Amino acid sequence: MALPQDFKAMVVSETAEKNFVREIKRRALSDLPAGELIIEVKYSSLNYKDALSASGNKGVTRKYPHTPGIDAAGVVVDSTTKTIAVGEVVIVTGFDLGMNTPGGFGQYISIPSGWAVKPPPGLSLRDSMAYGTAGLTAALCVLRLLAGGLNKEQGEVLVTGATGGVGSVAVGIFARLGFDVIAATGKTNEEAYLKQLGAKGMISREEANDTSGRPLQKPRWAGVVDTVGGNILATALKTAKYAGLIAACGNAMSADLNTNVYPFILRGVSLLGVDSVEVPARARNMAWQKLAGEWRLDLSGDLITECSLDELNPKIDQILQGGMRGRVVVDLNK
Ligand SMILES: NC(=O)c1ccc[n+]([C@@H]2O[C@H](COP(=O)([O-])OP(=O)(O)OC[C@H]3O[C@@H](n4cnc5c(N)ncnc54)[C@H](OP(=O)(O)O)[C@@H]3O)[C@@H](O)[C@H]2O)c1
């Protein structure tokens, strides 16, 4: 297959004044690292981590200039492995993509074959990126809670950061499974959106953020998907029911967790960590299969905003400010 010499990509550069600028530029294909697969990216998506990379967060991306994009879905155009052939479609999320390896905000990526997943039947490239890392993470959280024994008879479940990418998909999956799901959000004006996703109720971010100083509060949640960390995660621990299960996957509020042992030793609460970046293939594939089948959400409605690479810049600022609703799919063909 004839490959182009260069391609369109977002390039984030560091200026002499230590500012970071984002531009849409042509990048040479020869600039990409050596890899087993070269993929023509058809769709990518915007995650919180991309916004960190695109704004100079050195905890995510050490060296600039850099092309962010931790998600990519596209067609293999060059392969040195027997397991994936030229012409096959693949999904790539996590590992080092978009961190220190040029990512999905460019029309081509070059990666080790172990990073690629073949999409389950029925999941288009566009829909795989409608979920993206955020959707995969939400599915991994729910899988972890169900594996721990959570079921809908045990009572209400809470999702924090509910209008965000991970939060929205988690609300949708829980609703699809018949749980009574309560959405905790800073955007209380988005009640209609959350109800449409299937939330039974909503609480404000303030209500989810207990500042009383009490070691425990009235128990309410059988399960929690927490995407924000900080005192909201500490509050979820204090308000979990006996044997409650809490999946922690994010730090949009804070990476700190100041808590005490009482939820664990008096209520038998479990705190479960969820990572989507290095998650082994078995769990990764199972999550994609659930998202494509049994847990499939309506990916045509309000959950998704689509944009081109040229339209992405303001959306990066919006997600950094906690102002994004749902998921943003980036169409690299436009
Ligand atoms: N463990 C993993 O593998 C993994 C994978 C993906 C994402 N993550 C993490 O999960 C988190 C969510 O990612 P995302 O892509 O869904 O981001 P997102 O779309 O920006 O959603 C985050 C949501 O958190 C809430 N929020 C933002 N700032 C907050 C603050 N200061 N205090 C309390 N709530 C706040 C907002 O929702 P409301 O306005 O509705 O409250 C926001 O929409 C991020 O921390 C991300 O790094 C982890």
Side-chain angles (χ1 to χ4, degrees), residues 281-299:
R282 196 163 168 274
R284 190 181 289 263
N285 287 329
M286 185 184 292
W288 279 118
Q289 273 164 20
K290 292 284 185 191
L291 290 168
E294 251 178 280
W295 297 357
R296 193 181 184 94
L297 304 184
D298 175 7
L299 301 172

Side-chain angles (χ1 to χ4, degrees), residues 21 39 52 56 76 83 115 118 141 150 152 191 202 211 229 231 252 261 267 292 300 332:
V21 289
I39 295 160
L52 296 178
V76 176
T83 50
W115 295 4
K118 296 183 189 183
C141 287
L150 180 70
K152 58 187 176 202
E191 188 168 8
M202 184 184 81
T211 52
N231 195 53
V261 298
R267 291 187 180 159
S300 60
L332 277 292

Side-chain angles (χ1 to χ4, degrees), residues 1 9 58 82 112 125 134 167 181 264 274:
M1 197 176 279
K58 299 254 169 116
K82 290 196 175 104
L125 291 180
V181 49
F264 308 113
V274 173

Side-chain angles (χ1 to χ4, degrees), residues 14 16 22 88 98 123 136 148 181 214 228 266 273 277 285 289 292:
E14 188 169 7
R22 299 173 209 136
E88 283 195 69
L123 191 67
L136 177 68
V181 49
R214 292 206 191 116
V228 303
L266 297 182
V277 178
N285 287 329
Q289 273 164 20

Side-chain angles (χ1 to χ4, degrees), residues 47-48 133-134 137 161-167 184-187 205 227-228 232 249-253 274-277 319 322 324 326:
N47 295 276
Y48 189 71
T133 286
T137 306
T163 67
V166 180
T185 182
K187 305 184 195 84
R205 189 178 290 173
T227 73
V228 303
I232 288 185
C249 70
N251 60 352
M253 179 184 208
V274 173
D275 164 63
S276 65
V277 178
I319 202 169
M324 189 56 74

